[in-house]
Amino acid sequence: MLRQIIKIDEDKCNGCGLCVSACHEGAIKMIDGKAKLIRDDYCDGLGNCLPVCPTNAISFENREALPFDEAAVKQSQENQQHQGCPGSRMQKLERESIPNSDIEIPSQLNQWPVQIQLVPVNAPYFENAELLIAADCSAFAFANFHKKFMQNKITIIGCPKLDDVDYSEKLTAILKNNNIKSVTVVRMEVPCCGGIEFAANTALKNSGKNIPFEVFTLSINGILKNN
């Protein structure tokens, strides 16, 4: 049948995953770092995913598509409730055994507090800082996190799924009120983690400043997916 359905421009997609979280029907998945419409019959054509896309990669089109299957969507949602969202799904990670060592590696944390919600906007350590904005799971997933990412940086962390707030306002204030030299974002590959990247991107735009910006993505196995 001919009906309205979403269309995703993969060239514009930055892989943030916000649309996946916004699509309650499960019609969109992240595949090879890009959002893809995987089921026409799961898309209701209402476009809850459109307003959350930071790059305007999603639009409407009228084309031949399977009708929206509400029963199939409800069954899929029930299955997801049992399995959990990608960011909280239980799984055991297999690791090679590493011999015990008495060598202590010094922490590279340069300030306190570290939670985005708790840091004062005008804290003196932000002046002339190299700023690291990290998903709070990332330091546990990546063994060399302190040396690779935290060294010589001011580190602030958060989880959009748990805090359920818009970090962009706080981050905008930090960037506007301080001379930040660079911004590095470290996130996990799960879709909900795209919120921290989106907030940092939004804050950078709203600050009106031209600050060097870099994003690193980690798999749940602790593998650095890009650099």
Side-chain angles (χ1 to χ4, degrees):
M1 62 179 295
L2 184 67
R3 70 182 185 94
Q4 179 174 277
I5 198 167
I6 66 159
K7 177 182 180 181
I8 302 174
D9 186 338
E10 292 187 16
D11 291 333
K12 290 183 179 180
C13 176
N14 67 0
C16 72
L18 293 176
C19 58
V20 177
S21 299
C23 179
H24 304 301
E25 293 74 30
I28 306 173
K29 300 293 182 186
M30 297 300 299
I31 301 176
D32 297 329
K34 296 288 186 178
K36 296 182 185 294
L37 176 64
I38 60 163
R39 294 280 301 257
D40 284 4
D41 57 337
Y42 280 19
C43 178
D44 59 11
L46 298 179
N48 289 336
C49 52
L50 268 71
V52 303
C53 180
T55 62
N56 297 316
I58 306 176
S59 59
F60 285 124
E61 66 174 345
N62 286 299
R63 65 171 174 83
E64 286 291 333
L66 292 172
F68 176 58
D69 191 338
E70 186 175 1
V73 167
K74 286 183 178 180
Q75 183 61 55
S76 176
Q77 289 171 335
E78 289 178 5
N79 294 338
Q80 284 295 321
Q81 287 177 358
H82 292 297
Q83 296 175 3
C85 75
S88 59
R89 187 171 299 147
M90 291 184 297
Q91 53 189 298
K92 190 175 186 299
L93 306 178
E94 299 297 330
R95 303 287 186 197
E96 291 184 8
S97 178
I98 299 175
N100 291 330
S101 173
D102 293 330
I103 299 175
E104 292 188 8
I105 301 173
S107 170
Q108 297 300 318
L109 185 64
N110 290 300
Q111 97 292 336
W112 189 265
V114 294
Q115 288 285 347
I116 296 174
Q117 294 279 73
L118 300 180
V119 291
V121 170
N122 293 310
Y125 45 71
F126 282 130
E127 191 61 21
N128 297 315
E130 307 273 354
L131 182 62
L132 172 64
I133 304 170
D136 55 10
C137 294
S138 56
F140 294 94
F142 192 72
N144 205 27
F145 190 86
H146 277 241
K147 184 177 180 181
K148 173 71 176 177
F149 297 116
M150 289 175 59
Q151 193 170 38
N152 301 319
K153 290 184 174 67
I154 295 300
T155 301
I156 56 177
I157 67 172
C159 175
K161 190 176 183 67
L162 296 181
D163 286 343
D164 194 25
V165 296
D166 183 1
Y167 290 138
S168 62
E169 293 183 10
K170 182 73 170 284
L171 296 177
T172 298
I174 291 172
L175 297 183
K176 275 188 173 181
N177 289 283
N178 300 280
N179 182 31
I180 301 296
K181 296 168 66 176
S182 69
V183 175
T184 301
V185 175
V186 180
R187 55 162 293 187
M188 302 300 295
E189 64 181 338
V190 294
C192 52
C193 213
I196 202 162
E197 179 182 348
F198 177 68
N201 261 309
T202 301
L204 187 60
K205 293 175 183 176
N206 292 343
S207 73
K209 294 183 177 181
N210 185 19
I211 302 173
F213 183 84
E214 194 169 14
V215 179
F216 294 88
T217 302
L218 303 173
S219 74
I220 58 173
N221 284 309
I223 298 171
L224 184 59
K225 301 187 73 174
N226 61 331
N227 52 37

